[in-house]
Amino acid sequence: MSQAPAKAIFLKDYLPPAFTTKETFLDFELLPEHTIVRSRLLVERNPKCGVPSNLFLLDGNELELLEVRVDGQPLGESEYQQTATSLSLEIDKDQFVFECTTRIYPDRNTALEGLYISGGMYCTQCEAEGFRRITFFQDRPDVLSVFTTKITADLDKYPTALSNGNLVTRTEENGKVIAEWHDPFPKPSYLFALVAGDLICQEDRFTTQSGRNVTLQIFVEQGNEHKCDHALASLKRSMTWDEEVYGREYDLDLFMIVAVDHFNMGAMENKGLNIFNSSCVLATPETATDDAFARIEGIVGHEYFHNWSGNRVTCRDWFQLSLKEGFTVFRDAEFSSDMGSRAVKRLEDVSFLRQHQFPEDAGPMAHAVRPASYMEISNFYTVTIYEKGSEVVGMLRTILGADLFRKGSDLYFDTFDGQAATTDDFVWAMEQVSGKDLTQFKRWYSQAGTPRLSVRRAFDAASQTLTLTAAQHTPETADGSKKEPFVIPVALGLVAQNGNALAIESEDKRFNAAQAVWLVEEAEQTLVINGIAELPAVSLLRDFSAPVLLEDDLTDQERILLIGNDPNGYNRWEQCQIIYKKLILQKVDAEFDEALLKALKQSLRQLLQDDAVENAVKAELLSLPAESEFLQLVPNIDILSVEAAREALRLWIATELFADFEQMFGSLESYSDYAFEPEQVGVRKLKNTLLEYLLLANLEQYQGIALAQFEQASNMTDQLSAFKYIVQYGDEAAANKVISVFLSQWADDVQVLEQWFRVQVSRSDENTLSRVKTLLDHELFEYQNPNKIRAVIGAFAMTNVKSFHAADGKGYEFLAEQVAKIDQMNPQIAARLVGPLTKWKSYDLSRGQKMKAQLDLLATKVLSKDLYEVVSKSLG
Ligand code: ZN
């Protein structure tokens, strides 16, 4: 590669700093051409540093240094060392005041890290290492400091000037606004935030369980003030939920959320001042789908929950990122489950994990939940850290039980409040309250990879025993981490051939219940179950009790039996998914097994007619596994043959169940008053799933119905579904018509426009790529806005399987060109966007080579550290 390779940082090299910054005073002067930042730091020796050292080391990136002082005395250039990324001095004092002044250029900041401008407002993004783009600082999470921030800005343009904590004073003089903020809670620099703009505020109140009155504010650009109700309601629900479920209360008098259009991620948990991607906070029934409402509720909860899991207790170093992210995802998933449909939330999360995290673990960027090394930490905000990290916390709860888990979380929060902790500390708390030795369990943190678990049955009629033999094996991963047996909690139950659930009575007397949690800890292990009269079907890994790839010895008939009779709803869906996968793979090779198709059809009809099954679950039962799941089952399988087989199965279902679907579609209610509540959400989800099948089976008849829905819908859920289906399956004239109608209806709405872009790239025909390129030239497309990049380029590569993976390799070429271009502006986004190409080894040889060729080409260019890490690892 044409540049000096970036260096890796290792967990084993962690050392506490010699000094720590106890208090931080920041003074921002927001001027038209640049910003001046004056900082005054109260520095002390760090009692946690074991080795004697006088080195005071500050991080800094792309800063113009104007002045440095120690204890009031200006330093000459020979009195400190400056590199491209640091400033340091040797100092023989126990306490001192360090001051410096820097100049920065927010309007040139296209990376969206540090202080930048989004749509005319100033905002910051400091996690993970953005604060060093604002001023020289110990920009590491184990340095906790009390921040006081003064902002001076032009009153006309920036009357709203916000930072963390409480507003101390706000004055207006000589056309300037001067605001001073103080946050009493010590925090690492990554939680710092500043916002200045001309914003409108929507306000509400919340009283905590101990009687604290909290003001809740959401700040948005003019014109968006009607889109805040759902986020405010979600915030209040989150606050109540965290009190009830975790005993955690909010700790400041003010909680603010700001919506910004230009944001690399979803949202950020800055203390007292969350900053959100506007697409993750703004919603009305007319402009946002039920899925968006659910996502907003989950993200508002996620960021709020970080106030304890992340802010009050933070991370010692970035290797511990999952300490806050895995735990907080677990918390927000439970919150969403309690607010909506628990069953659906779990199915969605499992599908997401298998579609995204399993491939990551099998690819070049594989890493453990607590990685051992990284080059660029921004590349480690991954599905492994977040979603697998959440699964690991979930397994701890499964093993301990809900009550002990809560005790463990209380002990964790109480012990480490105000500190920077590690994943070991978290597990320590769980060990303390349970008396369990979790040493082996911790391999889930240190070893990457998706374990393969096989479970086989042996039935002995004479002794009436069923013996289960489990074997686990974890393939090598790209990070080279060790693979020793994991502790795999297998939630299981038994279903007799007549459909009745059986009790589990194990020979060692550990289990006697309708459901047991079997801990598989060895490479191979058995469980003997007594009192079994005939061979039962075994229902394994209920609720996906561990993130593994399971292989069992159930027959097709037994799976059909479980689809109809398993008391565990998750496993009914899972058995259905397994049959779908089996049928699709049959079709890839030859033809569907007719008998299996018939049996499946009967099961589906039964489920659809069963009033005890939620509507939303019915919709999930009709959703086929994504193409990417097949690469895990059959390495190097031709992805387009999978796509074709999957389409054939969809068409078969659409045709065979047409009458049932028609009848159901007609009988489901249409609500005139939109509410985001489980019953309505379920009906809309099922109805729209049915509409898709009906269109597949009979376009002629249903295109008109879809068009009518598109035109008459009173909510975005129904309108967008109809829009999407017409664009994807409709004839060209109809597709073009809805594309232009939708644009004229929504041209002023940034959030809806994202969907307009996204839907168009999902249509697959001979013109797809040229349509995508045309969209990049559209006047409403902006390279500076990550949401638009994701909606066009990201959605094309991730969701349009047929066109992206077209045999000519043109899809790959397009993606690589775009990645190279975007890397010049926004390295974080470029490094994420290149993802689909990096899994080249999983695809068939010809595709894999074409993908790799594009990576080779990228590697000849000068790349950002972010993109360099991903490209070099995927070629290595
Ligand atoms: Zn988070």
Side-chain angles (χ1 to χ4, degrees):
M1 253 165 255
S2 59
Q3 74 200 96
K7 275 226 296 286
I9 302 170
F10 294 88
L11 168 61
K12 64 175 168 40
D13 296 338
Y14 172 81
L15 279 178
F19 293 94
T20 187
T21 302
K22 297 299 272 190
E23 281 204 61
T24 300
F25 298 87
L26 299 170
D27 180 342
F28 286 82
E29 211 179 328
L30 306 175
L31 299 166
E33 316 78 47
H34 58 251
T35 291
I36 300 290
V37 184
R38 296 184 187 84
S39 85
R40 186 156 56 88
L41 313 179
L42 308 191
V43 184
E44 281 178 11
R45 279 202 186 273
N46 180 11
K48 292 203 170 124
C49 175
V51 287
S53 163
N54 285 335
L55 179 69
F56 183 50
L57 175 65
L58 300 152
D59 305 289
N61 208 334
E62 290 176 35
L63 300 172
E64 263 178 51
L65 179 61
L66 302 181
E67 192 188 39
V68 187
R69 288 172 187 254
V70 170
D71 287 335
Q73 295 304 310
L75 297 192
E77 276 181 25
S78 62
E79 294 172 277
Y80 59 87
Q81 275 75 52
Q82 202 185 340
T83 73
T85 57
S86 73
L87 187 158
S88 60
L89 39 128
E90 291 283 331
I91 184 155
D92 190 13
K93 295 185 175 188
D94 290 340
Q95 264 186 3
F96 58 94
V97 178
F98 176 90
E99 290 168 279
C100 78
T101 305
T102 52
R103 183 190 287 136
I104 52 179
Y105 298 87
D107 60 332
R108 298 186 205 158
N109 182 345
T110 59
L112 314 186
E113 293 176 83
L115 180 66
Y116 64 93
I117 290 179
S118 168
M121 83 168 111
Y122 286 87
C123 65
T124 53
Q125 175 49 47
C126 294
E127 186 176 6
E129 298 181 334
F131 194 78
R132 61 189 62 185
R133 293 165 180 267
I134 294 173
T135 184
F136 287 99
F137 202 78
Q138 294 185 285
D139 192 15
R140 43 185 295 165
D142 58 351
V143 170
L144 279 71
S145 186
V146 172
F147 282 71
T148 305
T149 304
K150 185 176 155 194
I151 306 164
T152 306
D154 195 6
L155 179 60
D156 260 12
K157 287 167 98 174
Y158 311 105
T160 316
L162 313 174
S163 191
N164 316 85
N166 303 310
L167 181 63
V168 185
T169 58
R170 184 184 181 283
T171 53
E172 299 178 1
E173 55 188 59
N174 303 329
K176 298 273 180 190
V177 56
I178 302 168
E180 194 171 311
W181 292 82
H182 178 75
D183 178 5
F185 291 93
K187 66 169 174 289
S189 51
Y190 82 86
L191 291 173
F192 172 81
L194 177 152
V195 168
D198 189 0
L199 303 176
I200 300 205
C201 166
Q202 290 291 31
E203 199 168 294
D204 208 334
R205 325 212 99 239
F206 182 83
T207 307
T208 67
Q209 58 187 7
S210 73
R212 177 191 288 277
N213 281 311
V214 185
T215 302
L216 313 176
Q217 296 180 321
I218 301 190
F219 291 89
V220 296
E221 282 173 27
Q222 317 248 355
N224 283 333
E225 50 279 15
H226 63 295
K227 287 187 159 192
C228 301
D229 295 354
H230 175 59
L232 269 175
S234 301
L235 176 58
K236 288 189 282 182
R237 287 196 290 272
S238 310
M239 295 176 88
T240 303
W241 186 88
D242 214 17
E243 292 182 349
E244 285 172 358
V245 180
Y246 281 86
R248 298 291 126 192
E249 217 180 294
Y250 190 59
D251 52 9
L252 287 163
D253 302 327
L254 182 60
F255 186 89
M256 298 173 283
I257 288 177
V258 180
V260 306
D261 287 340
H262 298 73
F263 202 71
N264 282 345
M265 308 278 273
M268 179 63 211
E269 70 264 23
N270 317 302
K271 182 79 186 189
L273 179 55
N274 287 187
I275 296 182
F276 274 62
N277 187 318
S278 53
S279 73
C280 297
V281 59
L282 302 179
T284 66
E286 295 75 34
T287 61
T289 61
D290 290 332
D291 285 346
F293 270 75
R295 195 170 59 246
I296 289 167
E297 180 180 65
I299 297 180
V300 167
H302 180 98
E303 306 311 328
Y304 174 73
F305 302 144
H306 267 317
N307 191 54
W308 276 95
S309 48
N311 302 2
R312 288 288 287 261
V313 181
T314 193
C315 301
R316 187 193 72 174
D317 53 72
W318 292 121
F319 299 102
Q320 318 297 329
L321 181 56
S322 195
L323 174 68
K324 75 175 175 84
E325 295 304 348
F327 188 24
T328 305
V329 170
F330 177 75
R331 277 150 59 67
D332 83 55
E334 281 296 304
F335 168 61
S336 294
S337 303
D338 286 344
M339 298 299 117
S341 163
R342 177 167 288 271
V344 172
K345 175 69 177 149
R346 190 62 189 145
L347 308 184
E348 286 172 353
D349 288 350
V350 172
S351 297
F352 186 82
L353 192 83
R354 282 202 290 235
Q355 265 176 64
H356 300 282
Q357 198 279 325
F358 284 17
E360 181 166 276
D361 246 341
M365 286 292 287
H367 57 277
V369 169
R370 186 194 60 202
S373 77
Y374 60 78
M375 282 183 207
E376 170 52 61
I377 186 58
S378 299
N379 288 329
F380 283 75
Y381 287 78
T382 61
V383 278
T384 299
I385 301 294
Y386 277 68
E387 275 72 24
K388 187 176 179 183
S390 164
E391 294 298 320
V392 172
V393 174
M395 286 190 285
L396 277 171
R397 194 185 53 175
T398 301
I399 292 170
L400 265 66
D403 291 347
L404 282 176
F405 178 80
R406 166 66 197 271
K407 288 203 173 80
S409 108
D410 285 350
L411 179 64
Y412 166 73
F413 285 128
D414 294 344
T415 307
F416 301 102
D417 189 10
Q419 296 183 43
T422 62
T423 57
D424 283 341
D425 294 333
F426 185 78
V427 178
W428 167 88
M430 296 298 162
E431 285 184 320
Q432 287 297 302
V433 296
S434 66
K436 287 192 193 324
D437 179 352
L438 296 169
T439 311
Q440 188 190 339
F441 181 85
K442 287 203 275 190
R443 288 176 188 161
W444 284 110
Y445 287 98
S446 58
Q447 300 182 163
T450 307
R452 308 301 196 254
L453 177 72
S454 86
V455 178
R456 317 247 155 239
R457 295 167 295 171
F459 177 63
D460 183 55
S463 62
Q464 303 224 312
T465 57
L466 173 70
T467 303
L468 300 180
T469 302
Q472 60 165 303
H473 162 74
T474 305
E476 291 304 299
T477 52
D479 69 340
S481 57
K482 268 204 271 179
K483 307 297 173 216
E484 312 225 61
F486 287 93
V487 177
I488 302 176
V490 181
L492 63 93
L494 300 176
V495 176
Q497 306 291 346
N498 67 5
N500 290 340
L502 297 175
I504 297 175
E505 201 183 296
S506 72
E507 192 171 65
D508 59 13
K509 303 272 181 278
R510 277 191 304 152
F511 305 127
N512 194 341
Q515 173 169 304
V517 176
W518 180 25
L519 290 187
V520 175
E521 299 167 314
E522 316 283 332
E524 197 174 304
Q525 194 173 321
T526 59
L527 175 69
V528 179
I529 300 171
N530 290 326
I532 303 292
E534 52 160 23
L535 178 67
V538 54
S539 157
L540 292 162
L541 218 63
R542 285 178 164 179
D543 295 325
F544 203 61
S545 59
V548 302
L549 272 168
L550 175 69
E551 197 203 294
D552 61 34
D553 63 357
L554 296 181
T555 63
D556 292 343
Q557 287 76 12
E558 287 173 317
R559 293 194 199 286
I560 296 287
L561 177 80
L562 289 181
I563 292 177
N565 297 284
D566 196 323
N568 188 256
Y570 164 81
N571 209 31
R572 293 216 294 272
W573 169 83
E574 176 64 2
Q575 293 307 326
C576 208
Q577 292 287 304
I578 293 173
I579 290 186
Y580 287 144
K581 287 177 194 165
K582 183 165 181 177
L583 285 164
I584 290 168
L585 289 176
Q586 283 171 356
K587 183 78 178 172
V588 167
D589 282 341
E591 275 310 319
F592 295 131
D593 169 347
E594 287 291 331
L596 186 55
L597 277 179
K598 281 217 184 75
L600 173 69
K601 176 178 166 184
Q602 218 189 344
S603 292
L604 286 177
R605 292 189 71 176
Q606 255 163 29
L607 287 169
L608 292 177
Q609 279 154 22
D610 186 346
D611 290 336
V613 180
E614 287 172 62
N615 286 322
V617 170
K618 288 178 182 170
E620 293 290 346
L621 284 162
L622 291 171
S623 305
L624 306 192
E627 288 85 352
S628 67
E629 286 196 37
F630 291 84
L631 296 165
Q632 296 149 34
L633 305 177
V634 186
N636 308 107
I637 192 168
D638 171 3
I639 195 79
L640 286 200
S641 68
V642 171
E643 196 268 344
R646 187 175 178 276
E647 283 313 300
L649 181 57
R650 250 160 41 106
L651 189 58
W652 185 88
I653 294 172
T655 318
E656 287 291 314
L657 291 171
F658 185 72
D660 301 66
F661 288 168
E662 251 193 332
Q663 184 271 326
M664 278 184 95
F665 183 75
S667 71
L668 286 165
E669 197 168 335
S670 290
Y671 299 96
S672 48
D673 274 333
Y674 176 96
F676 178 66
E677 52 89 25
E679 175 75 25
Q680 282 202 14
V681 170
V683 167
R684 280 189 289 269
K685 188 178 170 95
L686 180 56
K687 241 187 145 171
N688 284 312
T689 303
L690 294 171
L691 177 60
E692 184 172 11
Y693 274 111
L694 292 167
L695 274 164
L696 279 174
N698 188 339
L699 182 66
E700 217 172 305
Q701 184 186 347
Y702 275 90
Q703 180 163 293
I705 292 173
L707 265 169
Q709 175 171 324
F710 171 81
E711 282 159 6
Q712 290 153 23
S714 61
N715 63 74
M716 187 46 72
T717 308
D718 290 338
Q719 192 182 22
L720 191 70
S721 292
F723 179 43
K724 204 164 26 184
Y725 302 148
I726 296 166
V727 171
Q728 276 176 13
Y729 314 118
D731 55 52
E732 212 161 342
N736 288 337
K737 178 179 165 197
V738 290
I739 288 170
S740 78
V741 172
F742 196 83
L743 177 64
S744 51
Q745 188 181 351
W746 296 112
D748 296 334
D749 190 299
V750 183
Q751 280 76 48
V752 183
L753 266 180
E754 261 174 64
Q755 304 308 320
W756 181 76
F757 280 110
R758 190 175 287 275
V759 165
Q760 289 180 74
V761 305
S762 66
R763 183 181 171 103
S764 185
D765 57 29
E766 61 282 10
N767 299 323
T768 301
L769 200 53
S770 71
R771 210 171 32 246
V772 174
K773 289 178 181 165
T774 309
L775 285 175
L776 296 178
D777 291 329
H778 195 279
E779 56 176 353
L780 292 168
F781 184 84
E782 276 177 282
Y783 272 100
Q784 301 302 333
N785 186 332
N787 290 2
K788 301 237 164 101
I789 292 178
R790 284 184 277 254
V792 177
I793 307 165
F796 167 70
M798 307 281 286
T799 63
N800 195 332
V801 175
K802 221 166 146 178
S803 302
F804 178 62
H805 292 288
D808 60 9
K810 289 276 197 288
Y812 307 148
E813 192 182 307
F814 167 73
L815 183 63
E817 278 165 19
Q818 294 299 320
V819 165
K821 174 168 176 167
I822 291 161
D823 194 39
Q824 308 291 316
M825 309 175 238
N826 190 328
Q828 282 186 19
I829 297 297
R832 278 177 191 272
L833 209 58
V834 78
L837 290 175
T838 64
K839 316 253 161 50
W840 61 275
K841 284 183 186 157
S842 305
Y843 291 85
D844 60 280
L845 194 68
S846 152
R847 280 201 179 77
Q849 286 308 317
K850 291 195 172 86
M851 294 166 111
K852 178 173 180 290
Q854 295 303 323
L855 292 166
D856 284 328
L857 199 64
L858 276 173
T860 63
K861 308 187 177 189
V862 178
L863 306 178
S864 67
K865 182 159 71 144
D866 305 62
L867 186 55
Y868 173 85
E869 175 171 31
V870 178
V871 169
S872 64
K873 284 184 175 170
S874 48
L875 289 171

